[in-house]
Amino acid sequence: MANTFMRTLAALTGLLMFAAIYMTFAFVPTEAEQGIVQRIFYFHVPCAWVAFAAFGIVAISGIFYLWLGGQIWDDLGYACAEIGMVFCTLVLITGSIWARPIWGVWWTWDSRLTTTLILWLLYGGYIMLRAMAGDSPQVARFAAVIGIVAAADVPVIVVSVRLWRTIHPAVLITKQGEHGLTDPRMVATLLVALAAFTALFAWLLLIRFASLRTRSRLAALERELNLAEAAAGDL
Amino acid sequence: MAGFVAVLRKDLTLELRGGESTLALVALSILILVVMVFALDPAGGAADAPIAAGALWVAMIFAGMAGAARTVLAERDNGCLRALYLSPLDRGALFLAKLAAASIFMIVAEAAVVLMLVLFFNLDFDLRLARMLPALALGLVGFAALATLLAAISGRVHAGDLLMPLLAVPMYVPALIAGVKASAAALGGAQWSAMGQWLRIMIAFDVLFVAAGFILFEHLLGED
């Protein structure tokens, strides 16, 4: 049952990803001002969406872990933090590739770039905590608190960095309240790419989540075994 | 309230008898300030305001990283943290007491750093320094809250002293940006109105982290 579902999801992800690649390179018209480079947008935006969604789930599962308990929430949060980190890295890389020809620099301290970098550092710290501190219910609680506090900090980061400086193009929502995608084919390509990356996120998440669940169950079994051995030793 | 006063009084008494946290904070802050002066080589004059503000905040967060968490870290010895956890003391009050103690240590250190800043950067003792005080006070309380919260983690995991800056610096970014901007404006002779938006960000940051610590500290103290 679970296997059939995973296979179907994998096939769906593959199909959508193939469609997204085809549409990005062959279907969508080239943007008039920026030229061919603009096509990276159709991968850049979905990566950002997945990263933010994943970091959001980290905070939510942290709340549920502290509230209800249960190793399952901790495993979910950890899996999402790792995947979010991968996609956040991809956002920074694709952004840099685009910025070099368009802005003339690899990196600039624009507000969205800066915010994304701070997020990357923030969740990098979260993953370092988990990697260095190991597995225990105590570390799980620490991670839950960090996940919650980090997410609560994000709006303050966004506002402060935006006041600090901004030059990032507002493609999806411009100041006039319209989006900057002039051709309906651009919208279609973006939507397919978003669907493809969302499916990819779900697939990766389920795989990682399942492996973390297995590890947690194994750890629980080991604890039980140790207790049983200790009890047998007492006799 | 009684618990808050008791823990705060204990920490202050300890500090008055030993005094290592505040002294280390002061020494480290001044040392970092000296490093910043060598690294940035201020020319002297009005153009130095942003540099002086930057140096001040670098000194504050790096010294704070090492010193502000002492109030919590000191409790690890002899299982004091466990004793505090087992006591009927309210966890929120415990957090606030630790935060208050850390803030007091940092106020002493900051006073020394501002004094050295005036000397090193050839500033005047005038209204501009006074205008910097709200930003400094807000930044200091926010950092103390963050450091107290994180100390409960970094003090009890493997390689926690490495983790402290990795977690604290990205989280402190909003207050850092706002604090540097507000201080630079103040030192540059700007009016209060120029600092309003930055001070509001710092207030939001402080409210967030004091509230987060108050609510979540309990979850950090438990053992398994």
Side-chain angles (χ1 to χ4, degrees):
Chain A
M1 173 61 202
N3 263 335
T4 326
F5 177 73
M6 284 303 286
R7 269 196 221 111
T8 317
L9 185 59
L12 181 72
T13 306
L15 263 176
L16 280 168
M17 197 53 83
F18 184 77
I21 292 171
Y22 173 79
M23 288 174 88
T24 301
F25 286 100
F27 170 75
V28 79
T30 304
E31 210 266 342
E33 280 176 33
Q34 301 175 12
I36 201 91
V37 187
Q38 186 267 341
R39 287 170 198 265
I40 204 167
F41 167 83
Y42 303 109
F43 281 76
H44 180 68
V45 172
C47 284
W49 146 247
V50 170
F52 294 145
F55 291 154
I57 300 176
V58 172
I60 294 168
S61 53
I63 291 172
F64 277 104
Y65 183 76
L66 294 183
W67 182 27
L68 302 172
Q71 184 60 32
I72 188 165
W73 297 110
D74 182 51
D75 291 336
L76 180 64
Y78 195 5
C80 278
E82 285 183 342
I83 296 170
M85 197 62 188
V86 170
F87 282 91
C88 196
T89 310
L90 286 175
V91 172
L92 290 171
I93 292 173
T94 50
S96 255
I97 294 172
W98 175 85
R100 178 72 177 178
I102 300 298
W103 286 339
V105 288
W106 292 113
W107 182 262
T108 174
W109 295 95
D110 160 72
S111 76
R112 287 196 213 187
L113 277 71
T114 310
T115 306
T116 312
L117 180 67
I118 303 298
L119 270 186
W120 189 79
L121 292 169
L122 209 53
Y123 287 91
Y126 175 97
I127 290 184
M128 293 288 279
L129 166 68
R130 308 217 60 151
M132 290 179 357
D135 297 314
S136 75
Q138 191 184 41
V139 173
R141 272 203 312 279
F142 292 167
V145 168
I146 295 295
I148 295 168
V149 173
D153 199 19
V154 168
V156 193
I157 295 177
V158 169
V159 172
S160 67
V161 174
R162 189 176 294 160
L163 277 176
W164 191 50
R165 57 189 61 168
T166 190
I167 61 167
H168 192 287
V171 180
L172 297 179
I173 304 157
T174 62
K175 284 203 178 84
Q176 289 78 37
E178 298 160 345
H179 59 74
L181 298 173
T182 46
D183 193 298
R185 281 174 290 175
M186 290 179 167
V187 179
T189 308
L190 180 63
L191 289 177
V192 171
L194 279 172
F197 274 81
T198 307
L200 178 65
F201 172 45
W203 185 55
L204 289 174
L205 178 59
L206 287 174
I207 291 174
R208 187 65 185 130
F209 182 56
S211 93
L212 285 174
R213 291 300 301 150
T214 309
R215 200 176 65 168
S216 299
R217 275 200 292 270
L218 189 64
L221 282 177
E222 270 173 4
R223 271 198 301 275
E224 253 176 61
L225 189 66
N226 286 339
L227 282 177
E229 274 175 359
D234 285 344
L235 296 172
Chain B
M1 191 62 203
F4 169 81
V5 174
V7 175
L8 180 58
R9 187 193 289 153
K10 173 196 73 88
D11 279 351
L12 293 181
T13 309
L14 259 180
E15 189 60 25
L16 282 174
R17 302 229 173 114
E20 53 175 16
S21 298
T22 311
L23 218 59
L25 258 172
V26 170
L28 194 55
S29 308
I30 293 174
L31 203 63
I32 295 169
L33 206 58
V34 171
V35 170
M36 293 300 287
V37 170
F38 286 141
L40 299 171
D41 200 9
D48 282 346
I51 296 179
L56 174 66
W57 283 81
V58 170
M60 178 168 133
I61 67 168
F62 280 95
M65 209 106 65
R70 295 288 314 156
T71 53
V72 175
L73 297 184
E75 302 286 2
R76 281 181 305 178
D77 300 340
N78 305 322
C80 291
L81 206 57
R82 179 176 299 169
L84 279 173
Y85 184 67
L86 290 174
S87 75
L89 186 65
D90 180 65
R91 320 282 193 249
L94 175 60
F95 172 78
L96 292 182
K98 291 292 175 191
L99 163 62
S103 300
I104 291 170
F105 302 163
M106 282 186 81
I107 287 171
V108 176
E110 283 325 293
V113 173
V114 170
L115 178 69
M116 300 313 281
L117 191 78
V118 171
L119 303 182
F120 290 166
F121 284 84
N122 242 333
L123 306 173
D124 295 314
F125 288 100
D126 59 12
L127 204 62
R128 282 179 291 182
L129 282 183
R131 286 222 180 89
M132 202 168 65
L133 288 183
L136 264 183
L138 288 170
L140 187 150
V141 171
F143 193 86
L146 178 60
T148 304
L149 183 70
L150 293 180
I153 296 175
S154 74
R156 296 191 298 153
V157 297
H158 173 66
D161 46 344
L162 270 176
L163 277 171
M164 182 73 174
L166 284 175
L167 293 169
V169 175
M171 284 191 182
Y172 194 65
V173 161
L176 177 63
I177 289 177
V180 170
K181 285 287 184 184
S183 307
L187 288 179
Q191 294 302 308
W192 286 112
S193 55
M195 288 176 255
Q197 58 180 12
W198 300 118
L199 293 181
R200 279 200 291 277
I201 288 178
M202 302 187 83
I203 291 169
F205 182 89
D206 286 11
V207 169
L208 171 67
F209 275 90
V210 172
F214 188 78
I215 298 166
L216 296 174
F217 204 52
E218 171 175 13
H219 296 290
L220 297 178
L221 289 181
E223 293 177 32
D224 301 286

